Amino acid sequence: MRKFLVVLDDSRECLNAMRFAALRAAHTGAGVEILAVIPPEEFNHWIGVGDIMREEARERIHAHFEVFAKWMRDKQGIDPELVIREGDPMTEILSQVQADPEIGVLVLGAGTDKKGPGPLVSYLTKNSGNLPIPVTIVPGDLSKERLETIT
C-alpha cells in the first residue's frame, strides 16, 4: 500500500500537512505514516537526565500523535502509523523514506511567517531533485474548507 509520510512537530502548519495527507489517503486508498524526530541536542545532559528527557519527549509525541490519529480514524477512516526517530530531522526523514519502500509522497506544511516556509521545506525543496519520492508542500494558511476541496 502506498503511504503518505508526514512530519509531526509543534508547528502550526503541521496541522494542514496532517489534514492533507489524511484526506488524500482516504480518497486514494493509501495509508499515512507520521514521523516524529527527536533532535539529539535535547539530550546533551548527564546520562540520567538525558534518559528522562528522552522519555518525556516520547510521551509528548505519543500524546500529540493520538490527537491526529483519533481525527484520522474517526473522520477519514485512516489508521496512521507512528514512527519515532532520534537525530537530525533532515537525515532522519530521508532515512525513513529509504527504510520504507511503501512511502510514496512526503507531505510538509509550509510556514507563513516572514522567516520563510521553515527549515524542512527550505532544505527539501533545494534538494528535491535528488529525492526518491515527490514532496507535497501544503500552505500553512490554507483553510480547512479549501483543503477539503482540493484533495
Side-chain angles (χ1 to χ4, degrees), residues 1-2 4 21-31 78 151:
M1 170 194 306
R2 180 181 74 145
F4 290 87
L23 290 164
R24 288 296 302 143
H27 288 112
T28 62
I78 300 293
T151 56

Side-chain angles (χ1 to χ4, degrees), residues 12 16 28 33-34 42 50 57 69 97 100 105 117 120 140:
R12 190 174 61 86
N16 270 359
T28 62
E33 184 170 285
I34 298 175
E42 288 190 22
V97 168
D100 188 344
V105 179
L120 290 177

